[in-house]
Amino acid sequence: MGRTHPTYRDQLAAIEDDWRLFRRVLRRQDKPRFDRLFVYARDHADAAGNLNPADPLAPVWMAIAIEQERRIAELEDQVESLSDT
């Protein structure tokens, strides 16, 4: 029998667990922001699972970057539409 590897979602849960102490000492207003970053990572877990990365944290950073880029683009569109009026 071959070895079984944990799924990326399992690895992501372990990463989030590793960061639990960091989260615990964050300021109250920063905890929802921290949690949102892991939502981003979970939202892109299917893509990360296909990658089968040597460093499971690398797709977390990429997922965060993609989602932040998306949010920046949305905000830029909103600013542009406000400046057109």
Side-chain angles (χ1 to χ4, degrees), residues 19-81:
W19 284 85
R20 189 171 312 232
L21 292 175
F22 179 86
R23 184 193 183 279
R24 189 172 59 185
V25 297
L26 284 174
R27 293 184 176 103
R28 180 176 294 134
Q29 68 266 23
D30 289 333
K31 289 180 182 182
R33 294 179 182 114
F34 177 88
D35 294 339
R36 192 172 347 162
L37 298 178
F38 275 98
V39 169
Y40 295 162
R42 283 191 295 276
D43 286 349
H44 294 276
D46 290 339
N50 284 325
L51 182 62
N52 193 18
D55 176 9
L57 252 170
V60 172
W61 306 134
M62 183 56 73
I64 291 168
I66 290 168
E67 288 297 320
Q68 289 183 344
E69 180 64 23
R70 182 188 56 78
R71 291 188 64 168
I72 289 168
E74 289 172 357
L75 291 171
E76 287 173 340
D77 290 344
Q78 288 177 10
V79 168
E80 187 175 316
S81 69

Side-chain angles (χ1 to χ4, degrees), residues 4-11 52:
T4 58
H5 297 282
T7 66
Y8 185 75
R9 290 184 189 277
D10 290 340
Q11 290 177 333
N52 193 18

